[in-house]
Amino acid sequence: MKTKNQAYITAFGQNLKKLLDAKGKTPEEVAAHSNIETKQVYRVINGEHAATLSVVYALAKGLDIQPKELFDFVFAG
Amino acid sequence: MKTKNQAYITAFGQNLKKLLDAKGKTPEEVAAHSNIETKQVYRVINGEHAATLSVVYALAKGLDIQPKELFDFVFAG
């Protein structure tokens, strides 16, 4: 992978925050309902960590949504 | 991240292969249209590599689809 796409990683995190807010869930609650650590949820939200497929699946489980819903945002990359 | 979700990584790769076939594209062509190496496309297809958000975005670009379409498959995890 030549270039990391920080803009997309940031956009994903911002969308994740919107989903948490819309569901009235905290990063702690999402972490509790999936096997990810709370600090990792925060790092994905803040665009500091590029989620892998396993984290994507766990986040969706923690939010009780389908993984594809985590990618349902406009990004003019 | 306590546990890697190999089953989901494998399912993602199998779905990716279906998308390539449906579009009549080879891993080489997808790699050429995105900034990923061909061997990385193969490794994602074979479930050997868990795509990160940047790879997800690049794969979607290489297939000329939206990233969420890469997650449009049933997974009874």
Side-chain angles (χ1 to χ4, degrees), chain A residues 3 5 35 51 54 68 72, chain B residues 3 5 35 53-54 57 68 72:
Chain A
T3 51
N5 192 328
N35 58 356
S54 301
K68 66 181 176 188
D72 211 0
Chain B
T3 49
N5 191 329
N35 58 356
L53 294 179
S54 302
Y57 182 75
K68 66 180 176 187
D72 211 358

Side-chain angles (χ1 to χ4, degrees), chain A:
Chain A
M1 175 78 202
K2 291 179 192 97
T3 51
K4 186 172 129 178
N5 192 328
Q6 184 56 56
Y8 190 67
I9 293 164
T10 301
F12 181 90
Q14 289 165 345
N15 185 65
L16 177 60
K17 181 71 173 74
K18 267 190 222 153
L19 287 169
L20 264 77
D21 294 345
K23 291 242 168 190
K25 290 202 172 182
T26 64
E28 288 75 9
E29 285 166 335
V30 170
H33 288 99
S34 52
N35 58 356
I36 334 178
E37 287 152 31
T38 301
K39 72 174 189 284
Q40 189 165 17
V41 179
Y42 277 103
R43 293 187 63 224
V44 173
I45 287 171
N46 298 328
E48 293 160 19
H49 173 64
T52 61
L53 294 179
S54 301
V55 170
V56 162
Y57 182 75
L59 286 169
K61 212 167 148 213
L63 279 164
D64 200 20
I65 59 174
Q66 290 299 313
K68 66 181 176 188
E69 294 175 68
L70 290 169
F71 293 87
D72 211 0
F73 59 94
V74 175
F75 176 72

Side-chain angles (χ1 to χ4, degrees), chain B:
Chain B
M1 175 79 203
K2 291 179 192 107
T3 49
K4 185 172 129 179
N5 191 329
Q6 184 56 54
Y8 190 68
I9 293 164
T10 302
F12 181 90
Q14 288 166 346
N15 184 65
L16 177 61
K17 180 69 171 79
K18 267 190 223 152
L19 288 168
L20 264 74
D21 294 345
K23 290 243 170 192
K25 289 201 174 187
T26 63
E28 288 74 8
E29 286 167 332
V30 170
H33 288 99
S34 55
N35 58 356
I36 334 179
E37 286 153 34
T38 300
K39 73 174 188 300
Q40 190 165 15
V41 178
Y42 277 103
R43 292 186 66 225
V44 173
I45 287 171
N46 298 327
E48 293 159 19
H49 173 63
T52 62
L53 294 179
S54 302
V55 170
V56 162
Y57 182 75
L59 285 168
K61 211 167 146 211
L63 277 164
D64 200 20
I65 59 175
Q66 288 300 312
K68 66 180 176 187
E69 294 175 68
L70 290 169
F71 293 87
D72 211 358
F73 60 92
V74 176
F75 177 71

